[in-house]
Amino acid sequence: MPSDPDAKWRVRLAFLSLFAVFAIGVYFSGQLAKLQEGMAVRQNRTAAQGTSEVKQAAEPLKPRADDKSQPLLAMATKAADETDAAIESLTNEIAPPGIAKTIEFYHAASPGDLEALRRDVKTAETNATTFLPRYVALLKAEHDGLEQYARANADRSTATRLLASLERRQAAITDFASRMLAARADYYRAYDNYVAFLAREYGAFKVDKGQFVFPLQFTYNRYNVVAGAMTAAANRVGELDQEGR
């Protein structure tokens, strides 16, 4: 989750390039204050640089300078740009803005504030769980449009090779998107458990010098359990981010 409410997790899809996503990181120390502050997972934008990939993919399609591959590649690039914009727009819908909170929020939050945050987190979890078919539909639309154009404007061999390459890339994109969305859903689920715990303990804990203070060791131990689960989920998202890079 971004510490900046305006920051959004985005996805950049370029033609014949692998899925690139926004990085989600987490800082979570053993101290209660840092544990709390580390709950916000940063999303750092990684833009897919498709130029070199498109150039490499184009090489087997242009054995000579005067062939008909250039209009096909231009169409492919246009289709990729349109899909990229559609995926970015869809991705922005996953998490409501301002979902990440710092310890200052919990210090001043009312029970209503905590419940509102839980609703937003549950919305993000539901979206991460159910959005994959919408990504697949965007990829299919790109594939179908490019296939129709290639069949009509390129020789059969060129069209077949281009579409085979596109299908391999889109299969990799779909697999990665599936795993990343599942990991994000797990994170939001753990995030909800974290907020639910604090809501149950409302009035019993306090914030002193940037740290949560609980009256009982038992409560402190339970806090560490829910906080640790959230960290583990965030770490999994971070691992997938590295794979995406």
Side-chain angles (χ1 to χ4, degrees):
M1 303 307 306
S3 57
D4 178 358
D6 293 330
K8 296 178 182 296
W9 182 76
R10 302 175 185 273
V11 180
R12 176 100 178 152
L13 177 63
F15 173 66
L16 301 182
S17 65
L18 289 175
F19 197 59
V21 300
F22 288 71
I24 300 181
V26 64
Y27 176 67
F28 204 93
S29 75
Q31 302 177 17
L32 286 177
K34 293 181 180 179
L35 284 171
Q36 163 59 14
E37 292 168 0
M39 63 158 300
V41 181
R42 297 190 304 272
Q43 300 171 339
N44 302 314
R45 180 169 186 174
T46 303
Q49 302 299 322
T51 303
S52 61
E53 288 87 343
V54 171
K55 181 179 178 181
Q56 293 170 4
E59 289 175 355
L61 302 180
K62 51 176 185 179
R64 59 184 185 275
D66 60 346
D67 68 14
K68 298 181 180 180
S69 67
Q70 292 305 317
L72 180 59
L73 292 175
M75 176 61 181
T77 301
K78 180 177 181 292
D81 288 343
E82 292 173 351
T83 301
D84 172 50
I87 284 181
E88 185 171 323
S89 178
L90 175 60
T91 300
N92 291 340
E93 298 177 19
I94 292 179
I99 196 173
K101 304 299 180 182
T102 64
I103 194 169
E104 288 78 14
F105 167 82
Y106 296 99
H107 178 64
S110 67
D113 293 331
L114 296 177
E115 286 305 311
L117 176 57
R118 289 194 68 193
R119 287 193 296 270
D120 285 347
V121 173
K122 285 181 178 294
T123 296
E125 178 190 344
T126 298
N127 290 343
T129 303
T130 60
F131 267 27
L132 182 61
R134 297 176 64 179
Y135 285 97
V136 172
L138 292 174
L139 294 174
K140 184 178 185 302
E142 179 187 10
H143 178 280
D144 291 351
L146 185 58
E147 179 179 28
Q148 181 178 4
Y149 184 89
R151 299 298 185 195
N153 295 276
D155 63 84
R156 181 175 180 179
S157 176
T158 298
T160 298
R161 284 185 286 124
L162 184 144
L163 292 172
S165 179
L166 175 63
E167 287 162 5
R168 288 193 299 271
R169 295 294 191 177
Q170 289 195 340
I173 289 169
T174 302
D175 173 71
F176 182 81
S178 176
R179 290 182 289 122
M180 175 57 83
L181 288 172
R184 290 190 69 189
D186 288 343
Y187 172 74
Y188 295 132
R189 195 173 299 116
Y191 190 174
D192 179 53
N193 290 337
Y194 181 91
V195 180
F197 170 82
L198 293 177
R200 289 193 300 270
E201 297 299 323
Y202 185 83
F205 67 85
K206 63 180 181 178
V207 177
D208 182 31
K209 297 179 180 179
Q211 296 186 8
F212 280 107
V213 178
F214 296 93
L216 301 174
Q217 181 67 35
F218 173 73
T219 308
Y220 169 80
N221 293 341
R222 288 171 56 213
Y223 172 83
N224 281 340
V225 170
V226 295
M230 187 169 59
T231 301
N235 286 341
R236 173 57 180 157
V237 174
E239 291 170 0
L240 285 171
D241 170 64
Q242 292 303 313
E243 180 181 335
R245 289 175 182 271

